[in-house]
Amino acid sequence: MIDKGEARKLAFAARKAAFAAGQGQAGEILADFLADHRGRALTGYMAMRTEIDPMAAMLAHQGPVCVPVIIAAGQALRFREWSPGCRMEMGAFGAEIPAEGAWIEPEVLIVPLVGFDARGYRLGY
């Protein structure tokens, strides 16, 4: 059994290789998968580094879309309304966030990850 640090290192390497090979149709596949959730509040994220870009799914969603905002260390994430062309600013950890907009409670989440374990638990940063 490998430890979490080693698992993260291996997963980052695999994700980097997949990113270099091109993401293909990941965003479109995700958009198709989420079609049944139209009308529900969806949160995506602004992809950084080698994360899969959920933008195609966010653009295709028929309902409110928001992105996570880190308010402060140790506090729960909040989610701000996002739409194409809205004014963005740099948030904590270098993630772009909407400069203004309504706070939304998401019902459907697209979450970046490095990998997952055999039980389906997320391995993040």
Side-chain angles (χ1 to χ4, degrees):
M1 184 168 172
I2 61 174
D3 70 358
K4 192 173 185 177
E6 184 63 21
R8 188 175 281 120
K9 182 179 174 182
L10 292 170
F12 266 121
R15 188 175 83 176
K16 184 177 181 180
F19 184 83
Q23 295 185 44
Q25 298 176 324
E28 290 79 11
I29 292 168
L30 183 57
D32 289 343
F33 181 79
L34 293 172
D36 289 343
H37 298 286
R38 64 183 153 268
R40 298 175 72 194
L42 170 78
T43 187
Y45 58 89
M46 299 295 124
M48 299 185 335
R49 296 181 289 279
T50 59
E51 293 173 340
I52 291 175
D53 189 348
M55 187 59 65
M58 292 164 63
L59 291 169
H61 186 65
Q62 296 178 15
V65 177
C66 56
V67 296
V69 175
I70 298 170
I71 303 299
Q75 290 190 15
L77 288 175
R78 294 197 63 198
F79 299 87
R80 180 159 269 162
E81 180 180 31
W82 171 88
S83 61
C86 74
R87 190 168 62 85
M88 303 291 280
E89 63 187 21
M90 199 58 63
F93 300 102
E96 287 189 325
I97 59 172
E100 56 191 23
W103 295 105
I104 296 177
E105 188 72 29
E107 299 174 78
V108 181
L109 288 75
I110 302 172
V111 182
L113 60 87
V114 177
F116 54 89
D117 66 18
R119 299 172 297 168
Y121 289 100
R122 175 183 179 267
L123 176 63
Y125 294 105

